[in-house]
Amino acid sequence: TYYILMSQSNKSLDVNETLVSTEAFLIKNKQKLVMALVAVAVVLVAFFGGRYYLKSQNEEGQAAIALGQTYVQQGDWKKAVEGDGAQFKGYKKLADTYSWTDAGNVAHMYAGIAYFNLGEYKKAIEQLEAFSPQGDATVSANALAALGNAYVADKQFDNGVKYLEKAASQADNDALSPEYLIQAGLVLENQGKKADANALYVRIKNDYPRSRYSQNGVQNGISTGAEIDKYIERTK
């Protein structure tokens, strides 16, 4: 919601003078004002009509997307992205058909994950880049992490690290963020960037103290320390 703030003049106005001036203005500019109101009405009709159309398209798209969940659960990625030749059209086509809707946005994510699992990393990147993260801390974070992993698989390591860090920031919780940061750190270690990896591991220890990496382990009744300490130590 947008709010327009209007400042009020400190000058006192003569009410009668103001009414006369306003009436004269209306008579002189009647035709222009009518045309302007018509134009505004057309814009509003188009806007609300568009919203209604998008809502119906989104509902239709959500139903179409649900038809492919079986293939995702079964790991039948080819049918997931291309369709089954019957009812389900495939996430790639659904992403195009229902573009500008939430359903189309989610279809991009599923198509990207399907392409990733098929080993078609550039296509996965294309679809996952088309996904627009929302305000949630799970689905959007996972989509960003999937994009990061697709970049890594395509040997675009810097982009991979960037999106894994974005995924961690999007999630910002003790369950998911450390997982993404560990992945990013391992990529950095593989690149020989130990200092950068160390900074991410320290971030996990400091920012996510309740994560499984930061909790002290116990083996045979003896504390083994936090797992993240091992990562930190080896990258010093």
Side-chain angles (χ1 to χ4, degrees):
T1 305
Y2 296 91
Y3 296 92
I4 300 175
L5 301 179
M6 300 181 66
S7 61
Q8 294 182 335
S9 172
N10 292 326
K11 296 180 180 180
S12 59
L13 297 176
D14 183 281
V15 176
N16 291 327
E17 181 179 341
T18 302
L19 289 174
V20 171
S21 299
T22 303
E23 185 179 4
F25 175 82
L26 289 173
I27 293 171
K28 183 178 180 181
N29 298 280
K30 182 178 179 180
Q31 186 174 3
K32 290 181 181 179
L33 288 170
V34 170
M35 293 299 292
L37 290 171
V38 170
V40 170
V42 170
V43 171
L44 289 175
V45 169
F47 173 72
F48 287 112
R51 288 186 64 181
Y52 177 79
Y53 174 75
L54 287 177
K55 182 181 178 182
S56 64
Q57 282 283 286
N58 186 54
E59 291 173 352
E60 183 180 302
Q62 295 287 1
I65 281 174
L67 296 175
Q69 290 298 299
T70 300
Y71 301 122
V72 172
Q73 293 167 3
Q74 294 174 346
D76 192 340
W77 301 110
K78 190 172 180 63
K79 284 184 179 178
V81 74
E82 295 179 359
D84 55 16
Q87 283 187 307
F88 181 58
K89 305 302 180 184
Y91 288 120
K92 170 63 171 66
K93 185 169 184 179
L94 292 177
D96 296 333
T97 302
Y98 298 101
S99 59
W100 305 106
T101 69
D102 290 336
N105 194 37
V106 173
H108 277 302
M109 181 186 69
Y110 278 125
I113 291 172
Y115 278 129
F116 179 87
N117 283 280
L118 289 170
E120 299 185 54
Y121 303 125
K122 292 191 183 301
K123 288 183 178 180
I125 290 168
E126 181 183 0
Q127 289 299 316
L128 290 166
E129 279 187 335
F131 174 82
S132 298
Q134 306 301 305
D136 64 287
T138 52
V139 175
S140 293
N142 281 327
L144 289 168
L147 177 55
N149 280 290
Y151 272 123
V152 171
D154 196 48
K155 302 188 186 306
Q156 298 185 51
F157 301 117
D158 290 343
N159 278 332
V161 169
K162 180 177 76 173
Y163 278 96
L164 285 167
E165 288 191 65
K166 281 187 175 183
S169 296
Q170 178 82 24
D172 196 24
N173 61 57
D174 289 276
L176 295 177
S177 299
E179 302 295 338
Y180 304 144
L181 292 174
I182 286 289
Q183 291 177 36
L186 292 173
V187 174
L188 289 167
E189 283 192 68
N190 186 61
Q191 291 180 286
K193 299 178 179 180
K194 293 178 65 175
D196 292 337
N198 182 269
L200 294 186
Y201 300 147
V202 170
R203 177 181 166 189
I204 292 171
K205 185 177 179 67
N206 293 338
D207 293 355
Y208 304 104
R210 291 187 298 275
S211 76
R212 68 185 184 93
Y213 293 99
S214 302
Q215 296 291 315
N216 288 330
V218 178
Q219 188 172 5
N220 298 324
I222 301 173
S223 176
T224 58
E227 185 178 354
I228 196 62
D229 289 336
K230 301 173 184 177
Y231 289 85
I232 294 171
E233 187 63 28
R234 77 173 183 227
T235 52
K236 282 185 176 178

